[in-house]
Amino acid sequence: MNLNPAELIWAAMQARQHAYAPYSNYAVGAAVLTEDGEVFPGCNVENAAYPATICAERVALTAAVAHGKRRFVAIAVVTRNGGSPCGACRQVMIELGPDMVVYIADETGAYRTTTVRALLPDGFDNASLLA
Ligand SMILES: [Zn+2]
């Protein structure tokens, strides 16, 4: 699968427009690219009971899983200022897509490239359970 960061970031920007963020006013969009070339979008969905909030990255990944996808190659995340994925999302990414490339973009489309393993070094993963 050929990666096209700009297209994946664009998909995340589109998803960001659907963010439900009345409390933080911090809209986040994400888009995950599957190994077979499909893109699944996600946006943050907040809740008055704050812990029930779910991040854009986890919405995208869990939607892809719900469509039978298990192999991911990249994820793009867009916020107004290029904010990095939270700890909970890093944990989910190491579980579902430990080898993903991660594009972290701001609302202008400027982005930096990293990896899930760089975002969560020495993370707890399925190998930890099997050791
Ligand atoms: Zn998160």
Side-chain angles (χ1 to χ4, degrees), residues 57-59 61-62 65 72 86-98 100 116 120 124:
E57 301 93 314
R58 283 179 285 147
V59 169
L61 281 164
T62 55
V65 169
F72 307 105
C86 78
C89 287
R90 292 174 192 213
Q91 184 65 41
V92 171
M93 289 192 293
I94 205 86
E95 177 76 24
L96 297 175
M100 287 193 299
V116 170
L120 189 61
F124 184 86

Side-chain angles (χ1 to χ4, degrees), residues 72-92:
F72 307 105
V73 294
I75 187 167
V77 184
V78 178
T79 64
R80 67 175 174 247
N81 58 359
S84 193
C86 78
C89 287
R90 292 174 192 213
Q91 184 65 41
V92 171

